[in-house]
Amino acid sequence: MALIEIKNLSKSYGDNLVLQNINLKIEKGDIYGILGLSGAGKSTLVRCVNGLEKYDDGEILYNGIKVNFDREYRKKVSMIFQSFNLLQQRNVLKNVELTGEILKDKGKNFKAKELLKLVGLEDKLKSYPSELSGGQCQRVAIARALMSNPEVLLCDEATSALDPDTTNSILDLLKKLNEELGLTIIIISHQMSIIEKICNKVAIINDSKIEEDGNLYDVFLSPKTKIARKLIYSNHVNTKLNEEKMIKLIFNGEINKPIIANIIQNCNISLSIVYADSQGSPGFSFSLC
């Protein structure tokens, strides 16, 4: 049984249909990526999951039970945002304790310190958000989100305001939390490289509908729709060559064989490397002449 199941979900703003018949299953322990261009509906979808937006039709199930967005559900499903949403007048420790204050947790001080240690900020307890880097602010936001002992963490473009190195450090932290705490994570992004780095499953949303979904590598290796190919190959150089003469070669870490040389020698053909990508799972695509 899926931890979160979205069934036939639809949402409109007036005459503008934002989500149309969305169906997804997120299993416990997944790092599930929802990928789409700006305006595709992905942020609205995640806001429906945590109850910040009301939907028109369909339902959301949690452990097989229809969600009514009560206090217990909101404790189990926490969220971090692109803008961090920290209180500037509170120091790091007080920002993290805020959730404990709302939940009337008597052990909030000890718990907040432990979570800040977990995210690598035990030396920043008395610092204020204005004194922190973007990555540090996001780590504070993550620690605060964990104060309610959630089972699910929703990440809405949580790294899009960060530089590449800081983005990687936050993604590594999320992967660590997934593995050590058993945290199920849903990541919203318009960047394939973000999804590719840590997700095991992905759904591609476009014009309010889910175009493709499944295991990450199934979708990544064989995108079936135009929007999937656009998103997956968005950072690669354009080519006017016939797509039927393009081959994509993926290395999964085993690079001890001269694969390219063998292709040239055994098939007696010439190859040109059109692009190479080393983010997430390295891939190479060749044009056959």
Side-chain angles (χ1 to χ4, degrees):
M1 179 174 61
L3 180 62
I4 293 180
E5 183 175 2
I6 301 170
K7 300 176 68 174
N8 304 316
L9 194 76
S10 294
K11 164 73 176 177
S12 297
Y13 294 111
D15 295 330
N16 183 22
L17 184 62
V18 182
L19 299 172
Q20 182 178 354
N21 198 35
I22 301 294
N23 289 277
L24 288 176
K25 290 183 179 180
I26 293 97
E27 306 290 338
K28 182 175 177 59
D30 276 344
I31 304 183
Y32 203 110
I34 299 177
L35 181 66
L37 298 172
S38 297
K42 56 188 185 298
S43 291
T44 300
L45 175 58
V46 78
R47 289 170 68 86
C48 286
V49 172
N50 74 353
L52 290 178
E53 294 281 358
K54 294 182 179 180
Y55 45 89
D56 303 326
D57 295 300
E59 59 184 4
I60 298 174
L61 306 180
Y62 190 86
N63 279 325
I65 300 174
K66 186 175 180 179
V67 173
N68 60 8
F69 301 103
D70 58 9
R71 185 181 182 88
E72 287 304 309
Y73 176 78
R74 293 181 186 278
K75 287 171 60 177
K76 293 176 181 177
V77 179
S78 196
M79 189 166 180
I80 59 173
F81 302 85
Q82 175 182 351
S83 57
F84 320 132
N85 288 0
L86 301 181
L87 298 178
Q88 297 299 315
Q89 70 274 23
R90 283 182 170 236
N91 63 28
V92 165
L93 181 60
K94 291 298 183 181
N95 262 286
V96 177
E97 285 182 342
L98 179 60
T99 300
E101 292 174 14
I102 295 172
L103 298 176
K104 298 181 179 180
D105 185 349
K106 294 181 180 180
K108 62 182 181 297
N109 182 267
F110 174 80
K111 188 174 182 180
K113 289 179 179 178
E114 289 298 302
L115 288 172
L116 284 166
K117 182 178 180 180
L118 179 64
V119 301
L121 291 180
E122 63 269 31
D123 60 338
K124 299 291 184 181
L125 303 185
K126 295 183 179 180
S127 299
Y128 285 82
S130 61
E131 301 172 316
L132 303 179
S133 67
Q136 290 171 330
C137 285
Q138 195 58 280
R139 287 173 183 267
V140 176
I142 291 171
R144 183 181 59 188
L146 297 178
M147 280 289 288
S148 64
N149 296 319
E151 295 181 357
V152 179
L153 181 64
L154 307 177
C155 306
D156 188 7
E157 299 280 9
T159 61
S160 61
L162 307 176
D163 64 74
D165 287 343
T166 306
T167 291
N168 285 332
S169 71
I170 295 298
L171 294 177
D172 289 341
L173 173 60
L174 292 175
K175 181 68 174 177
K176 173 185 174 182
L177 297 176
N178 169 259
E179 294 173 348
E180 295 184 3
L181 304 181
L183 194 64
T184 301
I185 300 174
I186 301 175
I187 295 180
I188 302 298
S189 182
H190 63 277
Q191 297 174 285
M192 185 61 195
S193 60
I194 301 299
I195 302 298
E196 183 184 351
K197 183 173 175 63
I198 64 168
C199 295
N200 65 312
K201 296 177 183 175
V202 63
I204 295 178
I205 186 170
N206 183 52
D207 288 337
S208 78
K209 301 184 293 294
I210 298 294
E211 298 281 356
E212 292 190 44
D213 68 282
N215 291 328
L216 176 71
Y217 285 102
D218 291 339
V219 176
F220 175 71
L221 292 177
S222 303
K224 298 178 177 61
T225 61
K226 183 177 180 180
I227 185 62
R229 290 191 292 270
K230 179 177 181 180
L231 288 166
I232 292 169
Y233 304 137
S234 61
N235 294 324
H236 303 319
V237 296
N238 294 321
T239 177
K240 295 182 179 179
L241 294 174
N242 189 326
E243 288 187 359
E244 293 179 356
K245 296 183 179 180
M246 297 288 292
I247 294 176
K248 184 172 185 180
L249 180 61
I250 302 295
F251 290 95
N252 62 1
E254 299 176 5
I255 55 174
N256 57 341
K257 295 181 180 180
I259 296 176
I260 300 173
N262 287 344
I263 293 175
I264 296 172
Q265 181 177 348
N266 296 337
C267 300
N268 193 28
I269 56 177
S270 298
L271 300 179
S272 296
I273 299 177
V274 177
Y275 70 81
D277 184 2
S278 61
Q279 289 187 341
S281 298
F284 299 93
S285 183
F286 306 98
S287 60
L288 306 186
C289 303

